[in-house]
């Protein structure tokens, strides 16, 4: 019996040694230490032994069992360590590889231009106002001296939501709303940047959606020369200190008199070139003295109060400033175009 146990021990330890996987090891455990294993069998036959022999063989059987069990445990730990080592090797990160460069974004050119213009007017004491893009017919047209059926409405055809609700065609309704909040007694000094909509066919100079910045100043004793001074300051800060401006008569339903403002061409210095189409001047914006009807509709006494308003397109400003030839570049989100204007 003693020999049989020693034989089993050698046999089992040999199999443990040979096991290359945890599964194989499990089989060895079941085979030798299981309830139906050979050691259990040996122990069962102990009844035939003498009283003296029984504890000796019992002790030996336990020792053998323990040795096999320890060997299996040891081998299992070794196999698990190896497996982990292997996995770590496969999944290791090579920290010496150069990283992929992170693309840093920046504000859209239009956003930059709008912020630049905002800063400029904030510096002159104007406040910035915003309003809804879905506007009522009243604020978009009627309050701006464009009653229903007015022919000038044709120039600003837009997308109607209902008879009375539409996508605003200009940011002027923000002026009407702001004036309306002042009860006809307080002065207004504001600019309103934002998106506007027209039913235009998109081409190099037209878009069905674009941005506008309008300005309004209402107070007592506001004169045309105040308008000219503000516009000149704007033009020189935006396009260079040597820029001259010129005002030409024009028509807008909400201003009287109305003007278009040109700046002297930077390219040719007034000599005439292809950029200014030979005139030496480039059209920048529209402006004028607020029409008395508009003041009255907002609750101001037009005998006492007067004001000026102006409106410009940030796209046009950006196109002139950077020599951009197509308005659609602003909206097609081509990163190759946009990234040129990211400030470092
Ligand atoms: Zn020119």
């Amino acid at each position: 019996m003693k020999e049989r146990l020693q034989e089993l021990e050698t046999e089992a330890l040999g199999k443990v040694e040979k096991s290359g996987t945890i599964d194989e090891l499990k089989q060895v455990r079941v085979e030798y230490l299981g309830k139906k294993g050979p050691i259990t069998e040996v122990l069962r036959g102990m009844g035939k032994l003498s009283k003296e022999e029984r504890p000796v063989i019992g002790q030996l059987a336990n020792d053998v069992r323990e040795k096999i069990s320890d060997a299996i445990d040891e081998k299992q730990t070794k196999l698990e360590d190896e497996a982990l080592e292997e996995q770590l090797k496969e999944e290791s990160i090579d920290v010496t590889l150069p990283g992929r460069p992170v693309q840093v974004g920046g504000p859209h050119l239009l956003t930059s231009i709008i912020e630049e213009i905002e800063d400029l007017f904030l510096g002159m004491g104007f406040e910035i106002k915003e309003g809804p893009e879905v506007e009522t017919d009243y604020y978009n047209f009627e309050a701006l001296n464009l009653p229903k059926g007015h022919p000038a409405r044709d120039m600003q055809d837009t997308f109607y939501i209902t008879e009375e609700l539409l996508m605003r065609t200009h940011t002027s309704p923000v002026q009407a709303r702001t004036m309306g909040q002042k009860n006809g007694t307080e002065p207004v000094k504001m600019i309103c940047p934002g998106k506007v909509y027209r039913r235009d066919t998109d081409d190099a100079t037209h878009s069905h959606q674009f941005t506008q910045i309008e300005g309004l100043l209402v107070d007592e004793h506001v004169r045309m020369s105040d308008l000219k001074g503000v516009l000149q300051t704007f033009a020189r800060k935006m396009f260079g200190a040597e820029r001259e401006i010129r005002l030409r008569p024009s028509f807008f339903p909400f201003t009287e008199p109305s003007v278009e403002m040109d700046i002297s061409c930077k390219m040719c210095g007034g000599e005439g070139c292809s950029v200014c189409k030979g005139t030496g001047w480039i059209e920048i914006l529209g402006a004028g003295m607020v029409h008395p009807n508009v003041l009255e509709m907002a609750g101001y006494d037009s005998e006492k109060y007067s004001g000026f308003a102006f409106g410009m397109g940030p796209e046009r400003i950006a196109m002139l400033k950077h020599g951009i030839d197509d308005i659609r570049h602003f909206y097609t989100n081509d990163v190759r175009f946009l990234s040129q204007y990211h400030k470092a």
Side-chain angles (χ1 to χ4, degrees):
M1 222 173 240
K2 207 171 161 185
E3 285 85 53
R4 173 71 184 135
L5 281 170
Q6 272 155 358
E7 214 177 271
L8 284 172
E9 183 187 318
T10 318
E11 202 180 291
L13 292 180
K15 281 193 182 173
V16 168
E17 186 63 43
K18 268 191 237 159
S19 299
T21 66
I22 289 171
D23 276 347
E24 281 172 42
L25 209 53
K26 245 183 216 166
Q27 273 170 21
V28 177
R29 191 191 291 274
V30 172
E31 189 181 339
Y32 288 91
L33 305 179
K35 275 180 189 162
K36 287 173 186 167
I39 298 178
T40 315
E41 209 169 288
V42 170
L43 290 170
R44 259 192 218 123
M46 282 207 331
K48 293 173 196 156
L49 296 172
S50 66
K51 261 187 190 168
E52 293 77 30
E53 275 178 313
R54 244 180 254 168
V56 180
I57 296 298
Q59 182 65 45
L60 183 65
N62 279 335
D63 287 351
V64 169
R65 192 193 273 274
E66 212 164 295
K67 265 188 200 163
I68 297 173
S69 178
D70 285 352
I72 290 174
D73 287 348
E74 200 182 313
K75 180 84 181 193
Q76 182 157 345
T77 310
K78 198 179 154 216
L79 286 175
E80 280 170 354
D81 283 353
E82 277 171 8
L84 183 65
E85 191 77 14
E86 192 70 20
Q87 196 184 358
L88 285 175
K89 220 187 255 173
E90 275 173 24
E91 294 176 0
S92 71
I93 298 160
D94 183 354
V95 292
T96 62
L97 261 181
R100 287 184 195 147
V102 177
Q103 293 257 359
V104 180
H108 191 283
L109 174 57
L110 272 182
T111 308
S112 304
I113 289 280
I114 289 170
E115 283 174 357
E116 197 179 331
I117 297 171
E118 282 177 353
D119 284 349
L120 212 156
F121 280 99
L122 281 170
M124 289 194 270
F126 286 73
E127 56 176 342
I128 294 162
K129 291 282 187 183
E130 286 181 342
E133 287 174 31
V134 175
E135 197 40 284
T136 61
D137 185 88
Y138 176 79
Y139 279 116
N140 195 77
F141 289 128
E142 284 182 58
L144 299 163
N145 205 26
L146 278 155
K148 285 201 164 71
H150 193 291
R153 281 195 181 201
D154 290 349
M155 296 191 298
Q156 298 192 6
D157 198 11
T158 184
F159 306 98
Y160 281 83
I161 287 145
T162 66
E163 278 282 295
E164 294 299 323
L165 275 183
L166 49 89
M167 301 306 288
R168 66 179 180 190
T169 58
H170 43 191
T171 50
S172 312
V174 185
Q175 301 183 358
R177 285 173 178 276
T178 307
M179 279 193 284
Q181 288 161 4
K182 304 282 184 181
N183 303 316
T185 52
E186 291 167 59
V188 178
K189 202 174 177 188
M190 57 161 283
I191 62 163
C192 43
K195 288 201 276 286
V196 301
Y197 304 83
R198 303 263 174 109
R199 232 194 70 187
D200 265 332
T201 305
D202 292 6
D203 63 23
T205 52
H206 294 86
S207 170
H208 62 281
Q209 178 227 293
F210 53 100
T211 59
Q212 236 182 21
I213 296 182
E214 295 196 359
L216 173 71
L217 190 148
V218 174
D219 207 341
E220 296 178 41
H221 316 299
V222 179
R223 295 162 303 176
M224 189 94 182
S225 53
D226 298 318
L227 169 63
K228 197 174 173 186
V230 166
L231 293 183
Q232 188 151 37
T233 306
F234 161 75
R236 290 187 172 162
K237 287 235 168 106
M238 210 63 196
F239 293 100
E242 69 287 359
R243 294 279 80 73
E244 293 296 328
I245 67 163
R246 119 181 142 172
L247 302 179
R248 282 181 290 111
S250 183
F251 168 77
F252 302 108
F254 26 84
T255 46
E256 180 59 37
S258 303
V259 294
E260 301 273 358
M261 182 183 90
D262 300 336
I263 57 165
S264 55
C265 179
K266 191 183 178 178
M267 292 295 166
C268 60
E271 296 286 310
C273 68
S274 66
V275 174
C276 58
K277 296 187 184 97
T279 63
W281 296 94
I282 292 169
E283 189 185 320
I284 293 290
L285 54 79
M289 301 306 288
V290 181
H291 197 291
N293 287 355
V294 174
L295 288 171
E296 294 287 341
M297 262 186 284
Y300 284 94
D301 177 358
S302 65
E303 293 291 326
K304 193 175 169 196
Y305 283 90
S306 53
F308 64 74
F310 55 87
M312 65 186 97
E315 285 89 346
R316 181 160 172 76
I317 308 276
M319 286 166 91
L320 285 170
K321 241 182 122 130
H322 297 288
I324 296 160
D325 59 357
D326 195 320
I327 195 170
R328 288 168 291 195
H329 287 315
F330 294 112
Y331 313 117
T332 45
N333 292 329
D334 187 334
V335 177
R336 290 168 303 179
F337 168 77
L338 295 173
S339 60
Q340 295 175 65
Y341 304 102
H342 287 167
K343 285 177 191 153

